[in-house]
Amino acid sequence: MDNLRLTRRLLLSGIGSTAVAAGTAGCESGPGRRPPPEAVATPRSPTPHRTAPGRTDEASLRRRIASLLVVGFRGEQLRQAPWVSTAIRDGLGGVILFDRDLSTDAVRNIRSRQQVTALVKSLRQASPRLIVSIDQEGGRVARLNPGNGFPATRSEAEIGAANSTSTTRSWAQGLVQELTSVGVTLNYAPVVDLNVNPNNPAVGRLGRSFSANAEVVVKNATEEIQVHRAAGIKTSLKHFPGLGSATANTDFAVADVSDSWRPTELEPFQRLISAGAADSVLVGHVLNRQLDPDRPASLSRAVVTDLLRGRLGFKGPVVSDDMQAVAITSRFGRDEAVALALAAGVDLLVFGNQQVYDPNIVTETVSGVLNLVRSGRLTEARIDESVARVDALRPKG
């Protein structure tokens, strides 16, 4: 617990807050400057914003809420998931594609290049501004892979070990070429977690981190992001505020890094944000009592609003990790997790529909958030803030 006491002293002293705030004023610091390792925000207790709801057009509000959701579905063709077509018609924000179904291990959305290209085309025809997202990190986390007709890709760990700008650019161009060929618009990458624990089942063991060295992470992530941007594909830095020291995978268990996390794990996020390289930031379901004594990062106002937005100065969209992950559903349940995530400042809620498969996920979540606004637990203005930020992730249509 020595590190925990040290971090708390830094938080109370305000030293870290000042350092991060100074480091995010403009983009001049860039990816080449190192912030102090103690650069971490002073957390405040999360308090949901409660204001009496005003009169509103319910149909319009439902569409705006739906636009903040990304969902996974079973089907190689859109007609196999009619509920998705209905959700898109009603304003759904986006979809996430998977190669395999977690429960059945059957093909989910990607059987071949021709098939998935046709699927994405039908999705984009249903809504030209629909976010079509995927996890295409490279290596073991690649939904487009040799099993469904795409080239094998090197992992971030392999790329970080080479640490060559030309190698990284060529690797990223390969990833992006496949993404553009099928029509994907948002890639949940790069992973910018520091490889603090090589035995981490969620990061280290899977080769998902460029390095334990922040310089290597920032250098290679910057190159990867630039290649994505040149092709018009948005990216998402993950997993804020750092999952590299975890000993559990948040998809299947609670990952508590309270004793192992170090403030230096914020460095890649801070530097990439300062350089203007963050299209979005994905917040993990990691429990870090150094930053919030009770709630995981994805549900914590102290982490999302006070630290990420306030101290690191991030103004763009914040994306959730899978809202059906065991790490949060086992304790909070889906509806309360959604309420807490929105109150914390998360903008785009992702439901992979892998842990459980729920064709009613959109209608039930929209109704639940609508009730939060009616009750005054959330305001309509809070919803509109997220709508405006998420708009930056949408294709132009």
Side-chain angles (χ1 to χ4, degrees):
M1 297 299 288
D2 290 344
N3 182 64
L4 177 56
R5 286 193 290 269
L6 173 60
T7 302
R8 285 174 175 167
R9 286 200 298 271
L10 290 172
L11 297 177
L12 290 172
S13 71
I15 295 173
S17 303
T18 303
V20 178
T24 56
C27 297
E28 65 274 8
S29 62
R33 291 180 57 187
R34 296 176 59 89
E38 69 271 16
V40 62
T42 303
R44 297 196 299 266
S45 299
T47 53
H49 190 143
R50 294 178 181 271
T51 303
R55 297 176 63 84
T56 187
D57 179 342
E58 183 173 304
S60 171
L61 181 54
R62 281 184 173 275
R63 290 189 67 84
R64 281 176 278 155
I65 295 169
S67 76
L68 306 181
L69 309 182
V70 167
V71 297
F73 63 96
R74 290 172 176 163
E76 298 174 41
Q77 299 176 323
L78 184 54
R79 63 179 177 81
Q80 295 174 316
W83 65 271
V84 175
S85 296
T86 300
I88 293 173
R89 183 195 65 203
D90 293 341
L92 178 66
V95 298
I96 177 170
L97 304 179
F98 291 97
D99 52 344
R100 313 294 299 184
D101 189 89
L102 186 63
S103 300
T104 66
D105 197 36
V107 172
R108 193 175 231 221
N109 305 126
I110 308 168
R111 182 177 294 277
S112 69
R113 182 186 299 273
Q114 182 178 12
Q115 168 271 319
V116 71
T117 302
L119 171 61
V120 173
K121 182 179 179 180
S122 66
L123 288 163
R124 296 292 304 281
Q125 286 175 335
S127 175
R129 301 209 66 202
L130 186 76
I131 295 169
V132 180
S133 65
I134 201 167
D135 290 289
Q136 191 71 7
E137 301 170 9
R140 294 178 64 177
V141 181
R143 311 309 182 195
L144 306 175
N145 55 59
N148 45 48
F150 292 85
T153 54
R154 298 170 73 183
S155 68
E156 283 196 14
E158 292 173 295
I159 296 303
N163 197 29
S164 158
T165 298
S166 60
T167 298
T168 304
R169 184 182 301 121
S170 176
W171 166 76
Q173 287 171 340
L175 292 177
V176 167
Q177 180 179 343
E178 304 308 333
L179 295 173
T180 55
S181 73
V182 303
V184 167
T185 68
L186 170 63
N187 187 9
Y188 300 116
V191 173
V192 297
D193 299 313
L194 297 183
N195 191 26
V196 178
N197 173 18
N199 290 318
N200 181 339
V203 178
R205 286 186 198 168
L206 300 180
R208 297 175 71 193
S209 170
F210 287 117
S211 176
N213 184 324
E215 293 288 345
V216 175
V217 172
V218 172
K219 172 185 173 180
N220 289 279
T222 299
E223 191 66 37
E224 180 180 359
I225 291 165
Q226 289 175 346
V227 173
H228 277 74
R229 284 182 168 180
I233 296 176
K234 303 294 185 180
T235 58
S236 196
L237 310 181
K238 62 186 188 186
H239 306 80
F240 190 82
L243 186 61
S245 69
T247 58
N249 187 330
T250 57
D251 285 342
F252 309 108
V254 175
D256 188 338
V257 299
S258 301
D259 294 336
S260 57
W261 182 86
R262 302 292 184 269
T264 51
E265 293 181 56
L266 291 173
E267 186 175 336
F269 296 97
Q270 189 269 329
R271 292 172 63 186
L272 290 164
I273 289 169
S274 295
D279 297 327
S280 66
V281 175
L282 187 149
V283 182
H285 296 318
V286 60
L287 181 62
N288 186 338
R289 292 189 175 90
Q290 298 183 47
L291 302 177
D292 189 307
D294 186 56
R295 293 177 181 169
S298 54
L299 310 185
S300 168
R301 184 175 179 83
V303 172
V304 177
T305 295
D306 298 346
L307 175 55
L308 178 56
R309 294 206 188 283
R311 301 306 182 185
L312 272 63
F314 182 60
K315 306 302 182 187
V318 175
V319 182
S320 79
D321 211 339
D322 188 355
M323 293 299 295
Q324 294 164 311
V326 171
I328 58 170
T329 57
S330 61
R331 178 180 172 192
F332 298 96
R334 185 194 67 199
D335 293 346
E336 181 63 10
V338 167
L340 291 172
L342 290 171
V346 175
D347 301 303
L348 192 64
L349 303 177
V350 179
F351 296 86
N353 253 348
Q354 285 275 34
Q355 305 290 336
V356 295
Y357 190 71
D358 184 3
N360 298 314
I361 191 67
V362 176
T363 55
E364 291 177 357
T365 302
V366 169
S367 294
V369 176
L370 182 64
N371 287 334
L372 293 172
V373 175
R374 285 172 174 165
S375 70
R377 186 172 179 184
L378 289 176
T379 65
E380 192 170 346
R382 169 69 193 89
I383 300 301
D384 289 340
E385 288 174 1
S386 286
V387 171
R389 285 192 285 255
V390 170
D391 192 58
L393 290 178
R394 301 191 187 287
K396 299 304 180 183

